[in-house]
Amino acid sequence: MKVEQIYTGCLAQGAYYVESDGEAIIIDPLREVKPYIERAEKNGAKIKYVLETHFHADFVSGHIDLAKQTGATIVYGPTAKPNFKAHIASDGEVLKVGKVSVKVLHTPGHTMESSCFLLIDENGKEHAVFTGDTLFINDVGRPDLAQKGEITQEVLAGYLFDSLRSKIMTLPDHVIIYPGHGAGSACGKNMSKETEDIIGRQKMVNYALRADMTKDEFVNEVITGLMPPPGYFPLNAKMNKEGYDSIDEVLQRGCQALSPDAFEAAANETEALLLDTRLPQDFAKGFIPNSINIGIDGNFAPWVGALIPDIKQQILIIAESGREEEVVTRLARVGYDYTIGYLEGGYEAWEKAGKETDHIRTISVDEFAKEHKANPNINVLDVRKYSEFESEHIVGAVNTPLDFVNDAMYAVNRDKTYYVHCAGGYRSMIFNSILRARGYDNLIDVQGGMKAIRESGEFVVTDYVEPVTML
């Protein structure tokens, strides 16, 4: 028996490959399915099932493409009603995979169709449980993402309490937990950086699994500190439930190389968004006017999802040479299927062609300290999450979280100068680029963010408070 966790850091997402005696299953695959198929082929195994723990909200799964290309059966737990062919398993149903078994555990709470999959080895021993978003390491899935009618977040949290206590906490202590996400995902509020653990340890350290916890206490603790989910979540859940274009079609559409003239024409003739995916510091030195920067080497897909409200938005890409297909693929992971081409030769080609350019002023933390000392009343915008700001911030700074950049925009006076920072410099450049594209010309980016500010020792910051949520 082989069990592999395939963890994708930028989405904080865990997919799983399980193989036994020439048969394999994939659990919660990402949108691009070629790597799973190649993995099975390399091992001489046939993918028999694609197991979906629920209708994911934070990414588009590859279940439909994978089933089409391999003949595998898509499996959901009870109550799921997808708009495509799938096997809806009953609670407790056992699926055979080679010499091992997978038992379906219906665990409503995160969503009503949420299910976990218990892996039983060749000897009949319970080995591991794939928990999706029902149970994370040190956390549980938030119960506010599938609210509908009378099914409030409190009702869902109550279901989750029952599911955990009847189906998960009753498993043997040695059973390995393989969750759907780790730290950085918005599907929980305070997950661990660890991506696996065992039942016995989680019963000791996970706040949601306390043995003496009442249902009311659980509901209260689970829903406290939740922030509004990113706007793309319901749209991704809809795609996962109703279907989507093949990833091959998306790549064909998106990977069209455009000369600087053709790129400019496409930008003028369509309402496409110009998305520059280079490093923030490279973007600052020079970029195409009105483009926005969301660096590929960061939490790219989640920030695209959070900041571009329409998943059908046409997109033109400016990327590092050779990474264009990666960008199109990673956009498709969160449902942005309408990339219509990329700038051939990247920004350098645009510059060489003599096209109009722009730049954003950035300063080191030392320069920031000098300007702050010279004028302690300068405007400082901290674009980190509310929870991060509450934990520690420069005295006098104003919190304008990137998550709510449209609201933040109204707090910024176009005629005043602002120094903008985040935790490390990634989010502040996104914030600055969005506002720059909307005509805000007096924003200065502080390199290195809060980390550099703290280490400089040149600023008065508030006393550190341990955050209760990472949302």
Side-chain angles (χ1 to χ4, degrees), residues 159-425:
Y159 278 121
L160 185 56
F161 177 86
D162 293 335
S163 293
L164 289 165
R165 274 142 185 85
S166 64
K167 302 286 181 63
I168 302 297
M169 293 173 69
T170 52
L171 295 173
D173 284 352
H174 70 266
V175 169
I176 302 167
I177 300 165
Y178 288 123
H181 296 289
S185 165
C187 293
K189 62 180 183 179
N190 208 356
M191 297 179 217
S192 168
K193 290 180 181 176
E194 302 300 321
T195 60
E196 65 176 76
D197 201 352
I198 57 172
I199 292 288
R201 189 153 43 239
Q202 279 301 297
K203 285 199 285 192
M204 290 189 287
V205 302
N206 190 325
Y207 77 97
L209 302 188
R210 290 200 314 269
D212 61 350
M213 198 176 208
T214 67
K215 184 182 282 192
D216 286 343
E217 288 173 338
F218 177 88
V219 170
N220 181 55
E221 291 191 37
V222 165
I223 66 176
T224 297
L226 294 178
M227 297 292 286
Y232 76 103
F233 270 29
L235 303 174
N236 274 201
K238 189 169 187 284
M239 289 178 74
N240 281 318
K241 185 176 181 180
E242 298 181 357
Y244 45 72
D245 289 345
S246 159
I247 186 69
D248 293 336
E249 291 177 41
V250 175
L251 288 171
Q252 187 176 22
R253 185 163 52 220
C255 293
Q256 296 190 62
L258 302 172
S259 68
D261 285 343
F263 188 89
E264 187 174 45
N268 290 333
E269 292 167 8
T270 68
E271 294 184 352
L273 181 148
L274 308 186
L275 180 60
D276 191 321
T277 63
R278 294 175 296 154
L279 292 170
Q281 54 268 39
D282 291 338
F283 178 85
K285 291 174 189 168
F287 57 87
I288 299 174
N290 297 321
S291 59
I292 66 168
N293 172 240
I294 304 179
I296 191 74
D297 292 323
N299 288 329
F300 175 70
W303 279 118
V304 167
L307 299 173
I308 303 175
D310 181 6
I311 61 173
K312 293 186 176 177
Q313 167 72 54
Q314 290 184 318
I315 296 173
L316 285 162
I317 297 294
I318 305 110
E320 286 178 60
S321 218
R323 301 190 73 180
E324 298 88 357
E325 183 174 330
E326 179 188 354
V327 172
V328 177
T329 301
R330 288 172 66 173
L331 286 170
R333 285 177 181 170
V334 284
Y336 291 80
D337 289 359
Y338 293 92
T339 303
I340 57 174
Y342 68 87
L343 177 59
E344 186 172 25
Y347 176 74
E348 291 73 18
W350 178 270
E351 205 172 27
K352 197 176 290 183
K355 306 284 186 186
E356 185 181 358
T357 63
D358 199 355
H359 73 280
I360 286 175
R361 184 187 170 206
T362 67
I363 60 173
S364 68
V365 75
D366 291 337
E367 292 173 278
F368 178 39
K370 284 179 189 170
E371 296 187 23
H372 192 262
K373 274 185 183 172
N375 180 10
N377 295 319
I378 61 176
N379 300 304
V380 179
L381 299 182
D382 183 334
V383 302
R384 296 176 300 157
K385 294 176 186 294
Y386 175 74
S387 58
E388 295 172 276
F389 182 81
E390 284 298 295
S391 178
E392 184 182 37
H393 60 266
I394 296 175
V395 171
V398 174
N399 186 213
T400 51
L402 176 61
D403 305 66
F404 309 106
V405 64
N406 290 330
D407 296 333
M409 191 171 63
Y410 296 110
V412 178
N413 185 328
R414 289 175 192 266
D415 298 326
K416 293 183 178 178
T417 297
Y418 294 85
Y419 295 76
V420 184
H421 80 83
C422 59

